[in-house]
Amino acid sequence: EGSRRDFIKSLAYSRRSKDGIAQAYALFGLGGVTRIQGRLRQAQGYYLQATRYLEKRQDTFGQAYAHCGLANVLRQRGALEEARRHYLKTHKLYTALGDWVDLAYVDWGLGKIELHRGNLVSAEVRLVRALNAFSRSHETRGQALAELALAAVWHAQGRTARAEALFNAAIGRARKAGLHAHLEIFT
Protein backbone atom coordinates (compact mmCIF):
# COMPACT_ATOMS: atom_id res chain seq x y z
CA GLU A 1 0.00 0.00 0.00
CA GLY A 2 2.93 2.32 0.72
CA SER A 3 4.25 1.73 -2.78
CA ARG A 4 0.88 2.61 -4.25
CA ARG A 5 0.81 5.89 -2.31
CA ASP A 6 4.33 6.74 -3.48
CA PHE A 7 3.47 6.07 -7.13
CA ILE A 8 0.35 8.24 -6.80
CA LYS A 9 2.60 11.07 -5.53
CA SER A 10 5.01 10.45 -8.39
CA LEU A 11 2.13 10.63 -10.86
CA ALA A 12 0.96 13.92 -9.34
CA TYR A 13 4.45 15.44 -9.58
CA SER A 14 4.89 14.30 -13.17
CA ARG A 15 1.50 15.75 -14.12
CA ARG A 16 2.43 19.08 -12.55
CA SER A 17 5.64 19.14 -14.57
CA LYS A 18 3.70 18.06 -17.70
CA ASP A 19 6.18 15.25 -18.31
CA GLY A 20 4.33 12.54 -20.25
CA ILE A 21 7.13 9.99 -20.02
CA ALA A 22 7.44 10.44 -16.25
CA GLN A 23 3.66 10.03 -16.04
CA ALA A 24 3.88 6.77 -17.98
CA TYR A 25 6.56 5.40 -15.64
CA ALA A 26 4.53 6.37 -12.57
CA LEU A 27 1.58 4.57 -14.16
CA PHE A 28 3.79 1.49 -14.66
CA GLY A 29 4.42 1.48 -10.93
CA LEU A 30 0.74 1.88 -10.15
CA GLY A 31 -0.15 -0.83 -12.64
CA GLY A 32 2.34 -3.25 -11.13
CA VAL A 33 1.40 -2.58 -7.52
CA THR A 34 -2.35 -2.79 -8.11
CA ARG A 35 -1.88 -5.96 -10.19
CA ILE A 36 0.05 -7.60 -7.34
CA GLN A 37 -2.78 -6.56 -5.01
CA GLY A 38 -5.25 -8.34 -7.30
CA ARG A 39 -6.92 -5.10 -8.44
CA LEU A 40 -6.74 -6.19 -12.06
CA ARG A 41 -9.29 -3.83 -13.61
CA GLN A 42 -7.58 -0.84 -12.02
CA ALA A 43 -4.15 -2.10 -13.11
CA GLN A 44 -5.41 -2.51 -16.67
CA GLY A 45 -6.50 1.13 -16.69
CA TYR A 46 -3.08 2.30 -15.54
CA TYR A 47 -1.27 0.29 -18.22
CA LEU A 48 -3.67 1.52 -20.92
CA GLN A 49 -3.00 5.12 -19.87
CA ALA A 50 0.76 4.52 -19.95
CA THR A 51 0.47 2.94 -23.40
CA ARG A 52 -1.32 6.04 -24.68
CA TYR A 53 1.36 8.36 -23.25
CA LEU A 54 4.12 6.42 -24.98
CA GLU A 55 2.60 5.40 -28.33
CA LYS A 56 3.98 8.43 -30.21
CA ARG A 57 7.24 8.75 -28.31
CA GLN A 58 10.56 7.13 -29.09
CA ASP A 59 10.84 5.29 -25.78
CA THR A 60 11.00 1.73 -27.09
CA PHE A 61 11.64 0.24 -23.66
CA GLY A 62 8.67 2.14 -22.23
CA GLN A 63 6.41 0.97 -25.05
CA ALA A 64 7.52 -2.63 -24.50
CA TYR A 65 7.00 -2.36 -20.75
CA ALA A 66 3.52 -0.87 -21.20
CA HIS A 67 2.41 -3.61 -23.58
CA CYS A 68 3.93 -6.30 -21.36
CA GLY A 69 2.19 -5.01 -18.23
CA LEU A 70 -1.08 -4.80 -20.12
CA ALA A 71 -0.58 -8.33 -21.46
CA ASN A 72 0.01 -9.63 -17.93
CA VAL A 73 -3.22 -8.08 -16.66
CA LEU A 74 -5.21 -9.31 -19.64
CA ARG A 75 -3.83 -12.83 -19.17
CA GLN A 76 -4.80 -12.75 -15.52
CA ARG A 77 -8.28 -11.50 -16.39
CA GLY A 78 -8.73 -14.32 -18.91
CA ALA A 79 -8.58 -12.19 -22.08
CA LEU A 80 -6.03 -14.59 -23.53
CA GLU A 81 -6.12 -13.64 -27.20
CA GLU A 82 -5.85 -9.93 -26.45
CA ALA A 83 -3.01 -10.67 -23.99
CA ARG A 84 -1.26 -12.73 -26.66
CA ARG A 85 -1.42 -9.81 -29.14
CA HIS A 86 0.19 -7.47 -26.60
CA TYR A 87 2.86 -10.03 -25.71
CA LEU A 88 3.73 -10.40 -29.40
CA LYS A 89 4.10 -6.59 -29.75
CA THR A 90 6.30 -6.65 -26.67
CA HIS A 91 8.32 -9.55 -28.05
CA LYS A 92 9.26 -7.51 -31.13
CA LEU A 93 10.21 -4.46 -29.07
CA TYR A 94 12.37 -6.32 -26.53
CA THR A 95 14.01 -8.27 -29.36
CA ALA A 96 14.90 -5.00 -31.08
CA LEU A 97 16.42 -3.76 -27.83
CA GLY A 98 18.29 -7.00 -27.16
CA ASP A 99 16.66 -7.13 -23.73
CA TRP A 100 16.88 -10.89 -23.22
CA VAL A 101 15.69 -11.01 -19.61
CA ASP A 102 12.51 -9.06 -20.26
CA LEU A 103 12.04 -11.06 -23.46
CA ALA A 104 12.19 -14.23 -21.33
CA TYR A 105 9.33 -12.89 -19.20
CA VAL A 106 7.34 -12.42 -22.42
CA ASP A 107 8.05 -16.01 -23.45
CA TRP A 108 6.99 -17.10 -19.96
CA GLY A 109 3.71 -15.16 -20.31
CA LEU A 110 3.06 -16.68 -23.72
CA GLY A 111 3.82 -20.10 -22.26
CA LYS A 112 1.34 -19.49 -19.45
CA ILE A 113 -1.33 -18.64 -22.04
CA GLU A 114 -0.63 -21.85 -23.95
CA LEU A 115 -0.74 -23.82 -20.70
CA HIS A 116 -4.08 -22.27 -19.78
CA ARG A 117 -5.43 -23.20 -23.21
CA GLY A 118 -4.20 -26.77 -22.84
CA ASN A 119 -1.65 -26.46 -25.66
CA LEU A 120 1.00 -28.35 -23.73
CA VAL A 121 3.57 -28.77 -26.51
CA SER A 122 3.68 -25.08 -27.41
CA ALA A 123 3.58 -24.15 -23.70
CA GLU A 124 6.61 -26.35 -23.10
CA VAL A 125 8.53 -24.77 -26.00
CA ARG A 126 7.93 -21.23 -24.69
CA LEU A 127 8.65 -22.14 -21.07
CA VAL A 128 11.89 -23.98 -21.88
CA ARG A 129 12.99 -20.98 -23.97
CA ALA A 130 12.20 -18.65 -21.07
CA LEU A 131 13.92 -20.91 -18.54
CA ASN A 132 17.09 -21.10 -20.63
CA ALA A 133 17.23 -17.31 -20.96
CA PHE A 134 16.60 -16.81 -17.24
CA SER A 135 19.31 -19.35 -16.40
CA ARG A 136 21.87 -17.68 -18.71
CA SER A 137 21.06 -14.30 -17.13
CA HIS A 138 21.00 -15.60 -13.53
CA GLU A 139 17.46 -14.24 -13.15
CA THR A 140 16.42 -16.29 -10.11
CA ARG A 141 12.80 -15.14 -9.89
CA GLY A 142 12.25 -15.83 -13.58
CA GLN A 143 13.88 -19.25 -13.27
CA ALA A 144 11.55 -20.18 -10.43
CA LEU A 145 8.46 -18.94 -12.26
CA ALA A 146 9.42 -20.77 -15.46
CA GLU A 147 10.23 -23.96 -13.55
CA LEU A 148 6.90 -23.90 -11.70
CA ALA A 149 4.96 -23.45 -14.94
CA LEU A 150 7.03 -26.07 -16.75
CA ALA A 151 6.45 -28.52 -13.87
CA ALA A 152 2.70 -28.04 -14.38
CA VAL A 153 3.10 -28.79 -18.10
CA TRP A 154 5.09 -31.94 -17.41
CA HIS A 155 2.60 -33.10 -14.80
CA ALA A 156 -0.26 -32.59 -17.27
CA GLN A 157 1.72 -34.67 -19.80
CA GLY A 158 2.03 -37.51 -17.29
CA ARG A 159 5.70 -36.91 -16.49
CA THR A 160 4.90 -36.59 -12.80
CA ALA A 161 8.24 -37.64 -11.29
CA ARG A 162 10.10 -35.16 -13.50
CA ALA A 163 7.49 -32.49 -12.70
CA GLU A 164 7.83 -33.07 -8.94
CA ALA A 165 11.62 -32.80 -9.12
CA LEU A 166 11.45 -29.53 -11.05
CA PHE A 167 8.71 -28.15 -8.78
CA ASN A 168 10.81 -28.92 -5.68
CA ALA A 169 13.89 -27.34 -7.29
CA ALA A 170 11.89 -24.20 -8.07
CA ILE A 171 10.58 -23.91 -4.51
CA GLY A 172 14.08 -24.48 -3.14
CA ARG A 173 15.56 -21.86 -5.49
CA ALA A 174 12.92 -19.31 -4.50
CA ARG A 175 13.28 -19.93 -0.77
CA LYS A 176 17.08 -19.82 -0.90
CA ALA A 177 16.88 -16.43 -2.63
CA GLY A 178 14.23 -15.14 -0.21
CA LEU A 179 11.64 -14.94 -2.99
CA HIS A 180 7.96 -15.83 -2.93
CA ALA A 181 7.63 -16.68 -6.63
CA HIS A 182 5.73 -19.85 -5.77
CA LEU A 183 3.03 -17.73 -4.11
CA GLU A 184 2.75 -15.00 -6.75
CA ILE A 185 -0.63 -15.65 -8.32
CA PHE A 186 -0.85 -12.13 -9.76
CA THR A 187 2.43 -12.29 -11.70
Side-chain angles (χ1 to χ4, degrees):
E1 192 54 36
S3 294
R4 193 179 74 77
R5 282 191 303 272
D6 288 344
F7 283 120
I8 287 170
K9 282 182 192 174
S10 178
L11 182 59
Y13 292 138
S14 62
R15 283 185 175 151
R16 265 190 252 156
S17 66
K18 298 180 184 355
D19 184 338
I21 290 179
Q23 288 177 58
Y25 279 80
L27 289 164
F28 291 160
L30 282 167
V33 166
T34 54
R35 191 180 81 235
I36 289 166
Q37 292 176 321
R39 298 153 109 176
L40 300 178
R41 187 175 308 230
Q42 192 175 14
Q44 184 175 342
Y46 290 136
Y47 284 120
L48 280 169
Q49 258 186 288
T51 302
R52 283 189 218 111
Y53 279 125
L54 293 168
E55 65 190 353
K56 293 192 175 153
R57 295 205 163 74
Q58 295 197 355
D59 184 348
T60 305
F61 175 81
Q63 291 171 3
Y65 197 94
H67 284 289
C68 191
L70 185 55
N72 286 330
V73 170
L74 292 166
R75 175 180 48 80
Q76 291 165 348
R77 294 192 72 200
L80 300 181
E81 189 51 40
E82 193 176 353
R84 185 177 167 284
R85 282 194 304 271
H86 284 280
Y87 278 133
L88 292 176
K89 284 181 188 177
T90 304
H91 202 283
K92 287 179 185 174
L93 294 167
Y94 281 142
T95 298
L97 290 171
D99 187 340
W100 310 124
V101 171
D102 284 325
L103 186 61
Y105 278 105
V106 174
D107 280 325
W108 170 81
L110 288 164
K112 292 281 284 187
I113 288 173
E114 294 302 314
L115 174 59
H116 188 77
R117 289 180 167 166
N119 300 329
L120 300 179
V121 173
S122 54
E124 183 177 14
V125 168
R126 286 284 184 181
L127 293 169
V128 166
R129 184 181 303 156
L131 179 56
N132 289 337
F134 288 136
S135 297
R136 280 192 306 273
S137 303
H138 307 287
E139 175 66 21
T140 305
R141 178 176 171 266
Q143 282 179 276
L145 290 170
E147 288 169 337
L148 290 166
L150 188 55
V153 168
W154 288 348
H155 179 70
Q157 292 172 332
R159 297 189 271 172
T160 303
R162 190 172 182 194
E164 287 283 350
L166 187 60
F167 179 85
N168 290 332
I171 298 292
R173 179 186 317 286
R175 285 189 175 142
K176 184 177 178 184
L179 300 171
H180 302 285
H182 52 294
L183 301 173
E184 294 179 25
I185 61 169
F186 295 115
T187 294

